């Protein structure tokens, strides 16, 4: 276990013999560093190739990591005394965040020491820091946060983006989201030819949303050879097998995400009520335990833990603030899968290609008019 | 049973001795008039005060109604040969819809023969026809569709609006939605002092949505004495006990509604899968039948069937196109409750008062600046 300081620029990590290095912000979550380290240990057990650069309080982390045998020799600890809290405003963190574990974790990706960063911290601050330090990919105007959604698709999940990086999105942004989402589906979920849909309302009244109609045409043009464009989809299609990637602006996406989570939780609570209602139903619950556990696993939000920041020069995975060890482990696994697939380079190439295509078609439209 | 033609303006209905008259479009639903008449019969059995004016094919309706003893002497059939289909465009119906059962059903409310109209037909066409024939309430710029949402609130449901009448809403529209939603909660759900929230994303990034911040202030000022304003709420609060009325634009509301429905259905399907998985779990399902039925009833979309069109000179209830008899009966019950409470007059008074208050505060703001 190596200890170095985050205040001096770190050198490139030594040759890790084909292993994948994940940069982990150990301090930002609601449950503290012990849960993050437990999640790292879970991941490390399953993936022998994984190594970590861990950012946070050196003394605490040294103790926590020493207690996990599976992490021995696989963690590089970087001391960072500051912690970004859930109440810190992104603007403050941009000005004064240097020296926090979150800043340090993003910095490891910027310096090329780690392929992906993972944090359970404040989403707004993490996005602001990631944009400040990693900068936007050429051709991307607005980065996006993509989430996974339990679905009837063969891979078990659909991808939705943007779910809250920016409340606005114009037609060009929506096209970029389609390209980035398709790339994520291919590299993160292994969907060879992702089906992409654009979220809209299913009535005649959508005439007013000019940017959606424009995006509809732009995405249709960009699809061939790269993904299948299924056209407009509705809220009810989010968990369906009609689509793998759902594209929307960050306002609508955030509301949809939280509505879905809230509804699933409501139904789950009602189910619990139903089974604790009588002696008979409690007995039934015992008999049905295996089935209920299977159900719980299918809709367990911890399994889909990990919003991905897309559109930056580097990949950042945002885990839920309240994630437990299983949740943190799921986020790390996602980071690992993306790193292994060379996702960042593929994404950059795809976006650049899309930007060229869009400017060509814009130029053609200009000539035609 | 009386039969008259929809083509000649109908006179005021004769004194119905304190009963409530509901105008029913029998033809628009996916399942045809027999299901609508079955739903009417269910309602009529529970509410001795209810009477109907039924619009559609006279011969079919006469036969269907004759088979239901509970409807004897309580239905006034109006022949309308035309049917609005799910594929008709609202613009076509406005031009050529006269003579359809939907047009005729709305007309009965316009003529004051019935207090509320109920239709399972095409939402866009029904809204367009309702706006054309009933006209907007003074002070209302955009009418809204309000839906019920299963929740942890004491009344078991929250109200959300707009869920798709119009994809846009400015600050003044959102204020009107708050007033109309509060009035609906009071008269439709019996909530004395409704808690109203404005849907937003829970991050710092909402700075760009100027109309939401403005609406936030306007609703806060309008609240005292009429409803409690709880401020911004998130998608996760829709089924919560934090709020009774959720205000949003029709694009976001429509996506949220369909996302919630889709998620509930997904979890329900997963639950069914789980219980049919093994002999043990099937046995457990039998034991848990009563509990599962109770759960099903709590989240049954048919129980919350009925979107209300608010902001017109007359109340229109839109039932799901695929509603069965229980669904139609729920929509009619809602129409009945609103009619009994004198909802339309109260709503008009409240909106007028709100419009005055808004113009006074706008004038004051003008003076101050």
């Amino acid at each position: 276990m190596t200890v170095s300081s985050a205040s001096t620029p770190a050198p490139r990590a030594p040759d890790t013999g084909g292993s994948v290095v994940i940069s982990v912000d150990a301090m930002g979550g609601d449950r503290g560093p012990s849960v993050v380290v437990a999640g790292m240990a879970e991941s490390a057990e399953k993936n022998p190739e994984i190594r970590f650069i861990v950012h946070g309080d050196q003394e605490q982390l040294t103790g926590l990591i020493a207690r996990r045998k599976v992490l021995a020799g696989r963690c590089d600890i970087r001391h960072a005394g500051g912690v970004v809290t859930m109440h810190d405003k992104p603007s403050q963190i941009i000005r004064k965040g240097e020296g926090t574990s979150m800043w340090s974790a993003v910095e490891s990706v910027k310096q090329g020491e780690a392929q992906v960063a993972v944090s359970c911290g404040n989403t707004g601050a993490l996005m602001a820091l990631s944009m400040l330090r990693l900068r936007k990919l050429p051709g991307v105007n607005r980065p996006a946060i993509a989430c996974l959604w339990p679905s009837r698709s063969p891979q078990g999940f659909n991808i939705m983006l943007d779910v809250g990086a920016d409340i606005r999105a114009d037609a060009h942004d929506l096209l970029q989201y389609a390209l980035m989402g398709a790339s994520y589906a291919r590299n993160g979920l292994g969907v060879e030819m992702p089906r992409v849909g654009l979220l809209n309302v299913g009535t005649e009244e959508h005439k007013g949303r000019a940017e959606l109609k424009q995006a509809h045409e732009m995405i249709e043009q960009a699809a061939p050879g790269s993904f299948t464009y299924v056209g407009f989809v509705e809220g009810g299609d989010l968990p369906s097998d009609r689509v793998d990637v759902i594209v929307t602006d960050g306002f609508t996406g955030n509301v949809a995400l939280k509505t879905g989570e809230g509804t699933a939780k409501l139904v789950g609570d009602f189910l619990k009520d139903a089974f604790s209602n009588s002696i008979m139903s409690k007995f039934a619950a015992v008999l049905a335990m295996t089935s209920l556990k299977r159900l719980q696993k299918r809709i367990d939000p911890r399994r889909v833990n990990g919003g991905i920041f897309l559109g930056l020069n580097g990949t950042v995975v945002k885990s839920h603030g309240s994630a437990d060890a299983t949740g943190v482990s799921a986020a790390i696994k996602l980071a690992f899968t993306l790193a292994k697939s060379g996702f960042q380079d593929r994404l950059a190439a795809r976006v650049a290609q899309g930007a060229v295509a869009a400017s060509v078609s814009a130029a053609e439209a200009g000539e035609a008019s």
Side-chain angles (χ1 to χ4, degrees), chain A residues 31-70:
Chain A
R31 304 184 181 206
S34 64
V35 162
V36 176
V37 172
M40 287 164 51
E42 270 190 35
S43 287
E45 222 149 87
K46 288 179 213 150
N47 300 298
E49 291 167 272
I50 210 166
R51 292 177 50 86
F52 300 99
I53 305 178
V54 200
H55 308 262
D57 182 85
Q58 186 184 308
E59 203 182 313
Q60 255 188 300
L61 290 178
T62 306
L64 288 167
I65 290 169
R67 260 178 273 152
R68 307 272 175 179
K69 277 196 188 128
V70 69

Side-chain angles (χ1 to χ4, degrees), chain A residues 161-207:
Chain A
L161 75 167
D162 174 27
V163 296
D166 198 313
I167 53 161
R168 277 156 305 192
D170 64 19
H172 183 258
D173 298 326
L174 293 169
L175 169 63
Q176 294 296 353
Y177 296 173
L179 297 171
M180 298 194 298
S183 190
Y184 175 28
R186 201 172 299 113
N187 297 291
L189 298 184
V191 181
E192 197 57 44
M193 193 58 140
R195 296 161 299 170
V196 174
L198 184 58
L199 190 60
N200 201 348
V201 294
T203 69
E204 285 293 308
E205 280 71 39
H206 65 260
K207 287 164 188 162

Side-chain angles (χ1 to χ4, degrees), chain A residues 139-163:
Chain A
V140 171
N141 177 33
R142 295 180 209 273
I145 304 177
C147 76
L148 293 175
W149 195 284
S151 80
R152 296 184 179 88
S153 291
Q155 68 275 14
F157 303 104
N158 292 340
I159 290 166
M160 179 164 72
L161 75 167
D162 174 27
V163 296

